[in-house]
């Protein structure tokens, strides 16, 4: 089936630069997606956007180019609860990729087991209203109780303003929880202000809650953009991410977010995005935890690096 991209869609950056920052051996890109290709893996009827295709082969080429060893591929909302493109990518990766799926309550135990065998290790619950229709909390609770038996965890995506309302639900979940993109703080507000400190409190009080310190290109207001060799990109996001890396060094993950769905302003050079990492994890020890030890503990516990 031929799909027409959402108007003004920004395609992923072709020919990214080689990062100056050498990631540690065995580094994991813990947040990225595959889109289609739509001809082979059609986009879901209920999707809120139609992206450009971004295949498993293109993702794995980027992984190698940036110096990473593994990927955690997160089911994108444009594929709804049809995890076929994700599963296909996981199977092709030869164990170098793990996945986060989207499932509905009607999934059978046999289907959950098939996802597990392909390399899925969690589900994503999305509360960002521009991306998904509302799912009742009882349905999510039911899914949580089923996946806990597989040793999976839950990835949550929400906007900072919605945290107070979602707090009780998040803290009632029975698994490890991974928050996408630091809970999407408004970076024009202070790090020490009530909004971001509520998120810090969530992580301080609940040791099962982790955060991805990802997506500066989505959160930044002042830039500068990761383009044209810029080595000081997204300065306004640095204090937020660094705060989490310093306070919770064992519960942070990093990912490219390639192919960067729904960016409106610019498409970053992924090589320069990697050069953002040493600004938020400033020591070799924190870089090793962020990029290797933490994602290995969560996604490849059988090979854990101590
Ligand atoms: O699954 C997605 O569609 C999706 C969208 C966005 C976004 O539009 O912010 O970010 C993500 O990390 C994933």
């Amino acid at each position: 089936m031929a799909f027409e991209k959402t108007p003004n869609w920004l395609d992923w950056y072709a020919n990214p630069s080689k990062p100056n920052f050498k990631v540690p051996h065995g580094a994991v890109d813990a947040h990225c997606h595959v889109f289609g290709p739509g001809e082979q893996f059609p986009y879901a009827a209920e999707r809120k956007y139609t992206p450009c295709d971004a295949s498993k082969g293109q993702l794995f080429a980027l992984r190698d180019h940036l110096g990473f060893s593994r990927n955690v591929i997160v089911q994108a909302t444009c594929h709804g609860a049809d995890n076929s493109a994700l599963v296909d990518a996981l199977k092709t990766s030869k164990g170098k990729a793990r996945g986060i799926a989207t499932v509905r309550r009607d999934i059978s135990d046999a289907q959950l087991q098939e996802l597990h065998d392909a390399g899925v290790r969690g589900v994503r619950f999305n509360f960002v209203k521009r991306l998904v229709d509302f799912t009742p909390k009882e349905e999510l609770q039911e899914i949580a109780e089923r996946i806990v038996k597989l040793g999976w965890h839950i990835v949550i995506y929400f906007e900072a303003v919605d945290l107070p309302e979602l707090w009780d639900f998040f803290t009632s979940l029975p698994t490890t929880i991974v928050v996408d993109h630091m809970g999407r703080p408004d970076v024009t507000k202070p790090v020490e202000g009530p909004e971001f400190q509520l998120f810090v409190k969530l992580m301080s009080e609940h040791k099962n809650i982790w955060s991805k310190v990802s997506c500066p290109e989505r959160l930044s207001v002042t830039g500068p953009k990761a383009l044209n060799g810029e080595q000081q990109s997204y300065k306004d996001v640095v204090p937020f991410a660094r705060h989490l890396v310093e306070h919770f060094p064992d519960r942070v993950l990093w990912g490219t977010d390639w192919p960067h769905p729904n960016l409106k302003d610019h498409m970053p050079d992924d090589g320069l995005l990697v050069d953002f990492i040493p600004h938020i994890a400033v020591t070799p020890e924190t870089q090793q935890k962020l990029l290797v030890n933490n994602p290995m503990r969560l996604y490849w516990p059988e090979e854990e690096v101590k």
Side-chain angles (χ1 to χ4, degrees):
M1 198 201 273
F3 287 92
E4 197 165 318
K5 290 185 279 189
T6 296
N8 303 319
W9 184 265
L10 294 182
D11 292 0
W12 44 274
Y13 192 95
N15 304 317
S17 54
K18 200 84 179 159
N20 284 344
F21 174 60
K22 294 265 168 295
V23 299
H25 176 72
V28 181
D29 175 354
H31 186 96
C32 50
H33 312 284
V34 287
F35 296 156
E39 290 272 344
Q40 194 184 354
F41 301 108
Y43 298 111
E46 72 273 24
R47 70 190 181 281
K48 305 289 184 215
Y49 62 87
T50 308
C52 63
D53 289 337
S55 72
K56 59 184 177 185
Q58 290 161 330
L59 175 65
F60 298 150
L62 180 75
R63 173 199 68 199
D64 295 345
H65 175 78
L66 298 178
F68 282 77
S69 300
R70 305 179 194 227
N71 298 106
V72 179
I73 308 176
V74 177
Q75 170 77 352
T77 57
C78 55
H79 280 296
D82 175 355
N83 297 287
S84 326
L86 168 67
V87 164
D88 176 64
L90 297 178
K91 287 185 173 164
T92 312
S93 78
K94 302 198 175 70
K96 287 187 177 177
R98 291 269 145 95
I100 296 296
T102 296
V103 305
R104 310 262 183 254
R105 63 164 23 130
D106 60 6
I107 191 166
S108 68
D109 285 342
Q111 287 168 321
L112 279 177
Q113 186 61 48
E114 272 174 38
L115 290 175
H116 186 85
D117 293 343
V120 169
R121 293 295 179 266
V123 291
R124 191 183 202 202
F125 293 170
N126 199 322
F127 301 90
V128 177
K129 296 173 189 96
R130 71 185 157 81
L131 293 173
V132 284
D133 297 323
F134 175 77
T135 308
K137 300 273 175 2
E138 317 82 78
E139 175 166 352
L140 299 176
Q141 197 79 46
E142 191 180 303
I143 292 167
E145 277 153 27
R146 288 180 63 201
I147 60 111
V148 75
K149 294 179 210 140
L150 290 158
W152 290 11
H153 63 272
I154 297 169
V155 172
I156 52 179
Y157 193 24
F158 61 93
E159 309 267 2
V161 288
D162 296 324
L163 178 56
E165 183 204 324
L166 291 164
W167 180 285
D168 289 346
F169 177 66
F170 292 161
T171 57
S172 74
L173 291 170
T175 65
T176 294
I177 304 295
V178 179
V179 177
D180 278 338
H181 320 330
M182 304 188 281
R184 292 196 60 112
D186 175 348
V187 300
T188 65
K189 294 180 180 166
V191 172
E192 298 302 336
E195 189 182 271
F196 193 61
Q197 286 305 312
L198 187 68
F199 182 63
V200 172
K201 181 169 147 76
L202 181 75
M203 288 191 70
S204 303
E205 290 182 357
H206 300 278
K207 308 284 183 240
N208 63 323
I209 301 189
W210 297 39
S211 179
K212 292 178 196 162
V213 286
S214 47
C215 267
E217 73 284 8
R218 224 175 255 294
L219 301 173
S220 180
V221 176
T222 58
K225 301 163 188 172
L227 289 171
N228 306 317
E230 178 60 62
Q231 285 292 312
Q232 304 290 327
S233 62
Y234 312 125
K235 272 195 201 142
D236 51 347
V237 184
V238 168
F240 293 83
R242 195 188 283 189
H243 191 90
L244 296 183
V245 171
E246 284 170 4
H247 286 77
F248 310 106
D250 298 310
R251 288 188 272 144
V252 282
L253 301 170
W254 188 87
T256 54
D257 192 37
W258 188 89
H260 311 283
N262 301 311
L263 288 184
K264 300 281 180 254
D265 177 59
H266 70 290
M267 183 52 63
D269 172 340
D270 295 280
L272 298 173
L273 264 189
V274 173
D275 288 335
F276 179 78
I277 298 172
H279 295 282
I280 63 169
V282 296
T283 64
E285 292 74 24
T286 51
Q287 292 162 4
Q288 172 74 20
K289 287 182 175 197
L290 176 67
L291 297 168
V292 184
N293 301 33
N294 297 346
M296 288 302 288
R297 191 161 84 252
L298 197 55
Y299 290 97
W300 283 271
E302 66 282 7
E303 293 178 46
E304 190 186 338
V305 184
K306 301 271 184 205

